[in-house]
């Protein structure tokens, strides 16, 4: 053993306590870095799994491609699976439609994530496998082997084949079709073995991840045959966007890494200060500078290497523990899918090592600076000057002041608080999304695309179907019967009428006969059970037959001459406000029907606001006549209907999805599922935030403890003098508490202020200008700013202040010492 | 009536195995207005005795009465308050806070006691200790003797009854030490203070009217000045 290593060993032994602290900070920092990276990748992988689980994973599909095209597709290098799903026809049982009958091939089973709950896929004629929900809907049990009688109406334009037969149930398929938006595609519910040709085949492709960009290339294969439609995966139930590694993820990660390195720097600085006396003595007794540097560097390097080893070991241990727990308990990939990105892992470790080496090198430079200053008198003078300028301060303030920690420590804490603040805001953001979803779509499902052409006609039959579906508690129907010529029989209200015409003409110019002197009203029907809400909010009762409610909002003309409806009374009061219509309650209005006949209504109420009750924007245009929908059927053709469905909270949600998916041709939105996804998103967000925060707090704690250790002698000395001079121990504790608290508050304030600054800059689209738009878009922070109210921010801050209070108390307890 | 009375004082440091018996049954009494010097070899227990009397370190057994108050029967908080109202301490290492100016250091006890410092007393003590034009300096900018005078000023300005000094001249040359001694004598005479001082310096000790010697934690001799001479 040579001399140097002996000295290193000796110094190690002597410095064990100090190095233990260095070691724990380095190790913990590395662990935070690796673990947060691991959790982020795992979360992304979990989301991906959830998506695959729910929607299958296909990149594009072809409807009824030719043999040649199929060949081309199957042999394409980018295609992983190419599977077919063919619909044979509609199945009927006792004259009632019970689902689509068809076939799938093996690749399609993989692509669509089709799973059997029991039994097998049909392999012989007269064997069938049925989706669970469809089996239940037929009123059958889930027993395999039972015989099911079906008539299949084969879909073929030329023949009108009906095959009537009995089948043996060999498999039960897990519900899947409810998760697919099958707008134009027919999804098979009843699977059979079929060797004849089918007319309606859809060909699905899943690409290898690395070839995903080749999607256009494959799309182009079909250009030779224009009759083929190619659909991308946006046809799935909830639209999915391929999630790239987002820039903001990188920003968060590198910020964490930065904190880590900064923390390391602070710790090393503290360590250096601890050694100052020792270094000075060593220099005085003749140790050379290089020798000193070498021993110091060797010592810190061993600490660093040891911490990298321990940190990696701990990380691997933790990760394998997580893996073990996940697989041992059979936690599904959709709940948590631990995924270690080895590249990230190595990169993070290497980055950490590099950053730390830089820190150590830097501190070594500082070391030689210290040894130069053999005379501390100079420094004392400088600090005296600083203190003297603070002379006007009171003794208490000064006592707190001289206990101040290093600025950098405050900065590290500030950064941690900053991250905590932003993640807090992000969680609130998701909560808000949920709240908005509940506010705007308090119902669980809705039908009807708003304001689109061609008009959807939902019809009484379908509404009845929806109403009687499993799990449906209540439905509200709003029908829109378009713009109609109308005549106010009591008053000629030309000025106001022209104004309204102007408003309407912005949107529906072509529909309005502008030459006519008539007014135009949009006729809207509201189902009787929806009136309750109108009664609660606006205090109006449902109109009876022949009665109508007229909506006449205040009109406001803005600077550019655009007319606005001041529905919520929110428009600037200084603008010219128009409410001078002369329509009265009890007036009669005649409205032109579809077939030339005229319907008469008596105005029962005039309302000036619709609040948030109307599901369609068209309802917000003035002169809306709202009637009980029953009245309207005879004379007005229905143009568009919006149905809001409340489901029974006790019902099995998934089953209701399946039931209602029968009506997905009506443009169904599943708010229930959206919310469910949001909640699971929120939970995982909170869990990951919590884990990272706990580690951060630990790091923070170590940092402060370390600083206190370094500062300890001075604090102890001052505490002792104060105690000798008769200050009670409680007051000393209070003093220590106060100084820690003030420092932490400084950190908190700096952190929160810088976080707010980030948020505000984001709101100003600054990142867009800088080409960092993905930060803005990914987290919707602009949106978060506009929606999060001050109350929540204050709650967030109060929580943090409480945390700081507890933290300061612990620190005070730790540093509070007197030499008795 | 004794102003300070110590009875059967024992003080042992450490646990049983390697216990250090610093005080082995000390009893003494000091009257109001006395000037007493405590001398003895290094390690004989002088500092320990002083700290036990001032209420800074807990005795193993025995009683300390100061002005009829048994200080070790008080609660920790009560004792602290009693100390700051009645006892001034001066140490060998001056015990000044380096970040505070002279004035602030002197003001500190009255700040702790939540009262205003007696400005007249402050002025006259500073005059007496020749610190008049130094009161906005920091301890580092003063000589050792000056620093010790500040420590005295702090003790005198705030408590005029009892002054305990532990080797106040230990770090000083003989001229400065004599200056300090002169101050102590003036304090004793002008302010009527009761003073108990520890010193190694026999020349200084001889100037005091009463000398106690301590050896191995026991009071060996109690000499009045004329006896020593
Ligand atoms: N904190 C302590 N822990 C253990 N032993 C102690 C402690 N303080 C003092 N002692 C021991 O108690 C004995 C008396 O110490 P004390 O400090 O009272 O001596 P002293 O007379 O003031 O000496 P000096 O003249 O050197 O200041 C010594 O033997 C010392 O070793
Ligand atoms: Mg001593």
């Amino acid at each position: 053993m040579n001399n140097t290593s002996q000295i290193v060993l000796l110094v190690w032994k002597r410095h064990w306590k100090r190095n233990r602290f260095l070691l724990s900070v380095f190790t913990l920092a590395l662990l935070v870095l690796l673990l947060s990276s691991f959790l982020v990748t795992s979360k992304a992988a979990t989301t991906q799994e959830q998506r695959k689980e729910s929607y299958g994973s296909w990149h594009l599909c072809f409807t009824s491609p030719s043999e040649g095209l199929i060949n081309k597709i199957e042999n394409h290098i980018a295609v992983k699976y190419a599977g077919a799903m063919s619909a044979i026809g509609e199945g009927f049982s006792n004259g009632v439609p019970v689902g689509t009958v068809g076939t799938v091939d093996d690749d399609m089973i993989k692509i669509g994530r089709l799973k059997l709950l029991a039994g097998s896929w049909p392999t012989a004629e007269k064997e069938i496998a049925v989706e669970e929900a469809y089996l239940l809907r037929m009123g059958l049990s889930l027993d395999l082997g039972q015989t099911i009688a079906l008539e299949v109406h084969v879909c073929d334009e030329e023949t009108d084949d009906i095959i009537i037969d009995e089948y043996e149930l060999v498999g039960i398929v897990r519900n899947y079709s409810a998760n697919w938006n099958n707008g134009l595609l027919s999804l098979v519910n009843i699977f059979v073995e079929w060797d004849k040709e089918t007319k309606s085949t859809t060909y699905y492709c899943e690409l290898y991840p690395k070839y995903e960009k080749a999607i256009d290339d494959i799309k182009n294969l079909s250009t030779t045959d224009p009759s083929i439609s190619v659909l991308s995966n946006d046809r799935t139930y909830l639209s999915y966007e391929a999630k790239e590694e987002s820039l903001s993820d990188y920003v968060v990660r590198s910020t964490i890494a930065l904190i880590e390195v900064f923390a390391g720097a602070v710790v090393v600085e503290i360590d250096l200060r601890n050694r100052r006396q020792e270094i000075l003595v060593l220099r005085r007794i003749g140790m050379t500078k290089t020798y000193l540097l070498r021993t110091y560097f060797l010592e810190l390097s061993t600490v660093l290497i040891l911490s990298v080893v321990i940190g990696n070991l701990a990380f691997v241990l933790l990760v394998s523990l997580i893996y073990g727990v996940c697989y041992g308990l059979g936690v599904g990939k959709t709940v948590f899918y631990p995924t270690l990105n080895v590249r990230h892992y190595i990169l993070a470790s290497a980055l950490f090592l590099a950053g730390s080496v830089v820190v150590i090198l830097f501190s070594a430079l500082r070391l030689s600076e210290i040894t130069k200053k053999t005379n501390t008198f100079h420094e004392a003078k400088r600090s005296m000057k600083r203190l003297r300028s603070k002379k006007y301060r009171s003794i208490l303030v000064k006592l707190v002041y001289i206990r101040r920690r290093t600025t950098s420590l405050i900065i590290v804490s500030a950064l941690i608080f900053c991250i905590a603040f932003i993640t807090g805001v992000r969680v609130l953001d998701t909560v808000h999304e949920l709240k908005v979803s509940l506010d705007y779509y308090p119902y669980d499902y809705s039908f009807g695309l708003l304001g689109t052409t061609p008009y959807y006609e939902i019809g009484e039959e379908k509404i009845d179907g929806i109403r009687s579906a499993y799990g449906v508690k209540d439905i509200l129907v709003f029908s829109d019967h378009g713009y109609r010529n109308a005549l106010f029989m009591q008053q000629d209200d030309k000025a106001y009428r022209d104004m309204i015409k102007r408003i309407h003409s912005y949107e529906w110019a072509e529909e309005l006969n502008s030459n006519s002197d008539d007014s135009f009203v949009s006729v809207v029907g509201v189902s009787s059970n929806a009136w309750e809400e109108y009664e609660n909010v606006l205090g109006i009762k449902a109109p009876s037959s022949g009665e109508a409610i007229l909506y006449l909002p205040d009109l406001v003309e803005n600077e550019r001459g655009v007319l606005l409806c001041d529905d919520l009374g929110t428009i600037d009061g200084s603008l010219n406000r128009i409410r001078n219509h002369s329509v009265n309650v009890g007036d009669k209005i005649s409205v032109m029907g579809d077939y030339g006949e005229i319907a008469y209504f008596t105005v029962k109420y005039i309302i000036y606001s619709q609040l948030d009750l109307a599901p369609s924007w068209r309802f917000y245009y003035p002169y809306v006549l709202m009637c009980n929908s029953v009245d309207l059927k005879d004379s007005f053709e229905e143009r568009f209907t919006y149905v809001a469905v409340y489901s029974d909270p006790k019902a099995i949600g998934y089953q209701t999805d399946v039931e209602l998916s029968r009506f997905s041709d009506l443009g169904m939105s599943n708010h229930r599922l959206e919310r469910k996804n949001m909640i699971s998103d929120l939970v995982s967000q909170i869990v990951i935030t919590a884990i990272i925060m706990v580690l951060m707090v630990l790091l923070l704690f170590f940092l402060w403890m370390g600083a206190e250790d370094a500062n300890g002698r001075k604090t102890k000395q001052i505490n002792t003098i104060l105690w000798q001079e008769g200050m009670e121990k409680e007051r000393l504790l209070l003093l220590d508490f106060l100084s820690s608290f003030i420092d932490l508050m400084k950190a908190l304030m700096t952190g929160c202020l810088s976080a707010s600054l980030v948020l505000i800059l984001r709101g100003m689209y600054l990142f867009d200008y800088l080409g960092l738009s993905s930060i803005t878009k990914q987290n919707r922070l602009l949106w978060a700013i506009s929606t999060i109210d001050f109350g929540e921010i204050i709650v967030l801050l109060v929580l943090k202040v409480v945390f700081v209070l507890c933290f300061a108390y612990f620190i005070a307890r730790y540093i509070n010492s007197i030499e008795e | 009536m004794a102003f300070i009375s110590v009875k059967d004082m024992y003080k042992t440091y450490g646990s049983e195995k390697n216990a250090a018996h610093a005080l082995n049954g000390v009893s003494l009494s000091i009257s109001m207005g006395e000037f007493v010097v405590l001398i003895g070899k290094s390690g004989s227990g002088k500092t320990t005795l002083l700290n036990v009397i001032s209420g800074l370190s807990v005795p193993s057994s025995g009683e300390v009465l100061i002005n009829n108050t048994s200080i070790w029967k008080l609660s920790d908080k009560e004792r602290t308050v009693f100390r700051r109202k009645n006892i001034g301490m001066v140490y060998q290492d001056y015990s000044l806070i380096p970040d505070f100016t002279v004035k602030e250091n002197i003001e500190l006890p009255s700040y702790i006691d939540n009262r205003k410092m007696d400005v007249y007393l402050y002025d006259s003590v500073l005059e007496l200790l020749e610190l008049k034009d130094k009161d906005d300096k920091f301890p580092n900018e003063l000589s050792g003797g000056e620093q010790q005078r500040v420590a005295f000023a702090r003790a005198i300005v705030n408590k005029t009854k009892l002054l305990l000094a532990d080797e106040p001249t230990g770090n000083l040359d003989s001229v400065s030490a004599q200056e300090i001694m002169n101050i102590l004598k003036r304090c004793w005479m002008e302010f009527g203070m009761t003073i108990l001082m520890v010193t190694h310096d026999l020349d200084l000790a001889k100037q005091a009217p009463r000398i106690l010697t301590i050896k191995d934690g026991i009071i060996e001799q109690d000499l009045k000045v004329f006896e020593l001479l």
Side-chain angles (χ1 to χ4, degrees):
Chain A
M1 196 182 266
N2 66 23
N3 232 354
T4 311
S5 50
Q6 231 165 8
I7 286 193
V8 169
L9 258 180
L10 185 74
V11 170
W12 245 96
K13 254 208 245 115
R14 293 279 176 272
H15 291 169
W16 169 235
K17 201 180 157 199
R18 200 188 293 159
N19 285 343
R20 200 176 48 190
F21 155 68
L22 265 174
L23 194 66
S24 36
V25 171
F26 274 132
T27 308
L28 203 67
L30 180 63
L31 205 60
V32 173
L33 193 66
L34 295 179
L35 215 57
S36 58
S37 174
F38 167 68
L39 286 175
V40 169
T41 355
S42 296
K43 195 193 165 228
T46 308
T47 318
Q48 185 74 0
E49 283 304 316
Q50 282 168 348
R51 193 183 70 76
K52 281 187 185 171
E53 163 86 14
S54 304
Y55 315 131
S57 173
W58 43 278
H59 292 87
L60 74 173
C61 67
F62 300 84
T63 48
S64 309
S66 66
E67 208 47 60
L69 182 59
I70 292 175
N71 247 328
K72 271 192 227 164
I73 296 167
E74 278 180 345
N75 292 325
H76 196 283
I77 186 171
V79 175
K80 188 177 176 191
Y81 299 120
M85 181 179 274
S86 312
I88 297 161
E90 199 61 27
F92 285 81
S93 171
N94 304 324
V96 180
V98 290
T100 307
V101 180
T103 64
V104 282
D105 62 14
D106 286 348
D107 275 355
M108 189 57 216
I109 290 171
K110 282 178 197 143
I111 291 169
R113 303 308 185 264
L114 306 183
K115 285 206 181 82
L116 283 169
L117 295 175
S120 58
W121 296 100
T123 48
E125 232 179 299
K126 306 211 172 163
E127 284 186 349
I128 55 169
V130 185
E131 250 188 292
E132 184 191 13
Y134 283 79
L135 206 56
L136 293 172
R137 234 157 65 184
M138 283 187 249
L140 298 173
S141 69
L142 295 176
D143 299 326
L144 292 177
Q146 60 183 307
T147 323
I148 299 170
L150 279 182
E151 35 184 289
V152 181
H153 296 225
V154 176
C155 49
D156 193 334
E157 278 126 38
E158 291 130 42
T159 58
D160 259 342
D161 269 3
I162 296 179
I163 306 162
I164 303 172
D165 216 331
E166 288 197 333
Y167 299 87
E168 190 199 342
L169 183 70
V170 294
I172 298 167
V173 181
R174 195 189 57 168
N175 297 331
Y176 80 97
S177 56
N179 283 335
W180 290 36
N181 184 353
N182 52 349
L184 294 171
L185 315 170
S186 22
L187 296 178
V188 176
N189 314 110
I190 299 165
F191 301 85
V192 295
E193 179 65 19
W194 184 266
D195 42 20
K196 277 166 258 173
E197 200 191 321
T198 50
K199 284 279 174 190
S200 159
T201 297
T202 317
Y203 215 70
Y204 294 84
C205 298
E206 183 179 340
L207 310 184
Y208 286 105
K210 57 177 174 181
Y211 288 128
E212 267 172 18
K213 291 201 173 72
I215 192 160
D216 288 329
D217 187 31
I218 300 168
K219 264 186 200 166
N220 289 338
L221 292 178
S222 67
T223 45
T224 46
D225 186 350
S227 67
I228 294 167
S229 45
V230 182
L231 296 169
S232 304
N233 202 10
D234 57 3
R235 277 279 157 189
T236 45
Y237 202 89
L238 294 172
S239 67
Y240 137 81
E241 290 159 37
K243 193 176 183 265
E244 291 161 32
E245 189 81 42
S246 72
L247 187 62
S248 72
D249 271 354
Y250 278 120
V251 169
V252 167
R253 272 182 225 180
S254 41
T255 315
I256 290 179
L258 216 72
I259 291 178
E260 252 58 308
V261 171
F262 215 86
V266 171
V267 168
V268 170
E269 174 70 25
I270 290 165
D271 183 56
L272 216 57
R273 260 198 253 168
N274 265 330
R275 289 169 198 244
R276 187 189 220 107
Q277 193 61 37
E278 177 188 308
I279 290 166
L280 286 177
V281 172
L282 285 175
R283 276 290 281 162
R284 278 179 191 165
I285 60 170
M287 197 180 255
T288 63
K289 218 192 279 178
T290 36
Y291 200 85
L292 206 62
L293 262 170
R294 201 168 60 214
T295 45
Y296 175 77
F297 196 73
L298 266 170
E299 191 188 333
L300 275 198
S301 305
T302 28
V303 171
L304 181 62
I305 289 165
L306 211 68
S307 66
V308 168
V309 170
I310 295 177
N312 273 302
L313 276 179
F315 174 68
V316 169
L317 211 78
L318 253 168
V319 168
S320 39
L321 197 78
I322 293 173
Y323 267 95
V325 168
C326 284
Y327 289 112
L329 295 178
V331 174
K333 284 180 177 177
T334 50
V335 179
F336 185 74
Y337 183 26
T339 312
L340 183 61
N341 187 331
V342 180
R343 223 179 52 208
H344 283 171
Y345 167 56
I346 293 172
L347 199 75
S349 264
L351 255 171
F352 176 80
L353 205 64
S356 311
V357 167
V358 168
V359 165
I360 290 177
L361 276 174
F362 195 74
S363 71
L365 282 177
R366 297 259 302 114
L367 188 77
S368 60
E369 202 177 299
I370 286 176
T371 54
K372 248 186 270 163
K373 249 186 259 149
T374 39
N375 190 353
T376 48
F377 180 70
H378 223 61
E379 219 181 319
K381 263 260 162 80
R382 263 219 316 262
S383 77
M384 286 304 131
K385 227 183 205 161
R386 265 214 318 273
L387 275 172
R388 190 161 281 148
S389 68
K390 304 270 196 300
K391 211 176 266 172
Y392 55 89
R393 295 172 185 228
S394 80
I395 285 190
L396 175 71
V397 174
K398 204 153 174 181
L399 273 172
V400 173
Y401 172 76
I402 58 180
R403 286 147 186 260
R404 77 204 178 281
R405 258 40 103 193
T406 52
T407 321
S408 31
L409 187 62
I410 291 177
I411 293 173
V412 174
S413 316
L415 272 171
I416 290 177
F417 280 124
C418 176
I419 287 212
F421 190 84
I422 289 184
T423 41
V425 168
R426 260 163 96 174
V427 168
L428 282 182
D429 183 4
T430 316
V431 170
H432 256 285
E433 227 175 295
L434 200 64
K435 232 167 77 189
V436 167
S437 164
L438 276 168
D439 279 355
Y440 284 93
Y441 312 106
Y443 32 87
D444 300 309
Y445 306 86
S446 59
F447 292 90
L449 295 172
L450 297 178
T452 49
T453 41
Y455 305 117
Y456 283 95
E457 291 197 27
I458 290 180
E460 286 302 318
E461 210 176 292
K462 289 211 163 152
I463 289 175
D464 276 344
I466 294 170
R467 188 176 282 123
S468 59
Y470 169 82
V472 171
K473 200 172 102 196
D474 200 4
I475 75 174
L476 307 181
V477 183
F478 301 85
S479 57
D480 184 339
H481 302 267
Y483 283 99
R484 307 283 168 175
N485 286 53
L487 209 61
F488 286 83
M489 296 170 75
Q490 260 74 20
Q491 312 277 347
D492 184 49
D493 202 5
K494 198 167 178 336
Y496 190 75
R497 199 169 65 213
D498 285 346
M499 213 95 71
I500 287 168
K501 257 188 183 171
R502 255 172 76 196
I503 289 188
H504 285 177
S505 66
Y506 294 140
E507 291 285 342
W508 296 97
E510 81 281 2
E511 267 195 52
L512 299 171
N513 181 357
S514 49
N515 298 326
S516 160
D517 218 23
D518 286 358
S519 292
F520 288 88
V521 293
S522 104
V523 180
V524 164
V526 179
S527 67
S528 48
N529 55 345
W531 285 105
E532 200 180 310
E533 195 72 5
Y534 279 86
E535 193 173 338
N536 289 340
V537 181
L538 296 172
I540 55 173
K541 290 213 162 52
S544 42
S545 161
E547 288 179 334
I549 289 166
L550 206 56
Y551 166 56
L552 298 173
D554 285 5
L555 302 179
V556 175
E557 187 165 3
N558 75 5
E559 305 87 353
R560 282 172 287 132
V562 178
L563 273 179
L564 306 164
C565 296
D566 189 18
D567 191 70
L568 300 172
T570 51
I571 294 177
D572 186 1
S574 65
L575 294 171
N576 185 22
R577 187 170 288 267
I578 307 146
R579 199 189 217 179
N580 56 352
H581 62 79
S582 47
V583 184
N584 290 313
V585 170
D587 283 1
K588 277 215 174 332
I589 303 174
S590 62
V591 183
M592 181 89 74
D594 277 313
Y595 315 107
E597 80 274 32
I598 291 180
Y600 294 95
F601 295 99
T602 314
V603 177
K604 193 182 181 195
Y605 298 102
I606 295 172
I607 58 175
Y608 300 98
S609 166
Q610 291 243 48
L611 300 171
D612 289 331
L613 294 168
S616 161
W617 53 267
R618 184 125 34 124
F619 293 31
Y620 287 110
Y621 283 85
Y623 274 9
V624 165
L625 264 179
M626 289 187 290
C627 310
N628 255 330
S629 55
V630 225
D631 286 348
L632 303 168
K633 265 185 287 177
D634 299 336
S635 22
F636 301 104
E637 213 172 85
E638 181 186 301
R639 291 292 176 83
F640 169 69
T641 304
Y642 189 83
V643 183
V645 178
Y646 289 88
S647 68
D648 186 351
K650 279 182 227 130
I652 302 162
Y654 198 77
Q655 209 64 40
T656 313
D657 291 351
V658 172
E659 280 278 294
L660 290 177
S661 69
R662 277 188 292 155
F663 306 99
S664 53
D665 59 320
L666 302 180
M668 167 173 151
S669 308
N670 190 336
H671 308 291
R672 186 196 74 83
L673 200 63
E674 271 168 32
R675 274 197 284 275
K676 207 181 128 207
N677 287 344
M678 266 185 238
I679 288 170
S680 75
D681 213 42
L682 187 67
V683 169
S684 68
Q685 226 176 65
I686 289 174
V687 167
I688 288 185
T689 307
I691 290 176
I692 293 180
M693 279 302 120
V694 164
L695 287 173
M696 287 272 193
V697 166
L698 255 168
L699 189 69
L700 196 66
F701 197 71
F702 269 115
L703 271 175
W704 280 91
M705 289 309 146
E708 293 308 340
D709 256 353
N711 244 358
R713 205 176 310 142
K714 192 175 180 190
T715 314
K716 193 173 171 182
Q717 187 196 343
I718 292 174
N719 274 358
T720 306
I721 294 175
L722 288 172
W723 178 68
Q724 282 168 353
E725 292 304 321
M727 194 181 264
E728 300 93 327
K729 284 174 186 162
E730 297 83 19
R731 265 168 89 192
L732 276 172
L733 187 68
L734 189 71
L735 193 67
D736 286 332
F737 172 74
L738 217 64
S739 55
S740 323
F741 178 71
I742 287 174
D743 284 350
L744 280 169
M745 277 312 279
K746 268 190 230 162
L748 179 66
M749 286 302 146
T750 325
C752 292
L753 280 179
S754 41
S756 320
L757 199 71
V758 170
L759 298 183
I760 287 165
L761 288 183
R762 205 164 186 164
M764 288 160 59
Y765 293 107
L766 190 86
F767 294 109
D768 290 335
Y769 295 131
L770 294 175
L772 301 171
S773 53
S774 69
I775 304 178
T776 333
K777 285 188 187 114
Q778 205 70 38
N779 302 316
R780 304 173 299 277
L781 260 151
L782 169 66
W783 192 77
I785 285 181
S786 60
T787 50
I788 286 180
D789 56 86
F790 271 113
E792 281 171 348
I793 298 265
I794 286 168
V795 169
L796 212 69
L797 282 177
V798 165
L799 274 177
K800 281 187 183 150
V801 170
V802 169
F803 165 78
V804 162
L805 280 173
C806 300
F807 206 65
Y809 176 73
F810 279 120
I811 290 174
R813 286 305 294 259
Y814 182 83
I815 60 173
N816 187 250
S817 59
I818 314 161
E819 208 160 313
E820 289 197 34
Chain B
M1 187 69 220
F3 183 55
I4 302 173
S5 143
V6 180
K7 287 176 196 156
D8 271 339
M9 184 56 61
Y10 287 85
K11 167 82 188 180
T12 311
Y13 288 109
S15 57
E16 271 176 38
K17 238 185 185 174
N18 40 12
H21 302 282
L23 297 178
N24 286 312
V26 173
S27 294
L28 61 90
S29 76
I30 294 169
S31 310
M32 178 84 90
E34 263 197 291
F35 188 166
V36 182
V37 166
L38 184 62
I39 57 175
K41 270 197 267 176
S42 182
S44 54
K46 305 183 291 291
T47 301
T48 310
L49 179 59
L50 224 62
N51 284 347
V52 164
I53 293 174
S54 66
L56 290 178
S57 72
V58 195
S60 304
S61 72
E63 204 182 3
V64 175
L65 289 169
I66 295 175
N67 212 358
N68 287 329
T69 309
S70 178
I71 61 164
W72 289 107
K73 284 192 181 133
L74 299 175
S75 72
D76 191 68
K77 192 171 171 171
E78 285 166 342
R79 188 165 49 248
T80 307
V81 174
F82 180 85
R83 269 197 301 116
R84 88 171 169 234
K85 292 206 185 298
N86 298 291
I87 308 171
M89 292 282 293
V90 176
Y91 309 85
Q92 183 176 348
D93 61 0
Y94 324 131
S95 279
L96 300 176
I97 295 180
D99 305 299
F100 281 10
T101 59
V102 167
K103 183 170 183 197
E104 283 166 344
N105 264 297
I106 296 174
E107 207 178 359
L108 190 64
S110 48
Y111 159 74
I112 294 173
D113 212 18
N114 279 328
R115 58 185 162 76
K116 275 251 169 322
M117 184 173 61
D118 184 340
V119 188
Y120 295 109
L121 187 59
Y122 172 80
D123 281 342
S124 57
V125 168
L126 250 62
E127 188 90 46
L128 177 76
L129 301 186
E130 292 168 19
L131 289 168
K132 199 78 198 148
D133 49 351
K134 301 233 155 71
D135 72 343
D136 62 344
K137 289 227 150 72
F138 287 92
N140 294 26
E141 300 167 312
L142 300 176
S143 74
E146 284 167 335
Q147 287 188 49
Q148 192 59 294
R149 275 184 271 151
V150 174
F152 270 106
R154 182 176 62 190
I156 299 164
V157 167
N158 293 285
K159 307 106 192 174
T160 50
K161 279 187 188 139
L162 175 58
L163 181 66
L164 303 177
D166 189 355
E167 295 186 42
T169 59
N171 284 343
L172 304 176
D173 60 276
S174 55
V175 178
S176 307
Q178 188 54 53
E179 274 173 16
I180 295 286
M181 193 61 196
N182 292 343
I183 290 163
L184 271 174
K185 284 198 273 190
R186 286 187 69 177
C187 286
W188 174 50
M189 289 188 284
E190 288 180 21
F191 301 114
M193 292 175 99
T194 308
I195 297 171
L196 175 57
M197 179 176 100
V198 171
T199 185
H200 276 122
D201 189 336
L202 272 181
D203 286 338
L204 295 184
K206 277 184 218 156
Q207 300 172 33
R210 183 180 172 194
I211 299 169
L212 293 173
T213 63
I214 185 168
K215 191 182 174 190
D216 298 333
I218 296 173
I219 299 287
E220 209 182 25
Q221 289 173 293
D222 186 347
L223 309 165
K224 301 287 181 225
V225 166
F226 51 86
E227 291 174 40
L228 199 78
L229 283 172

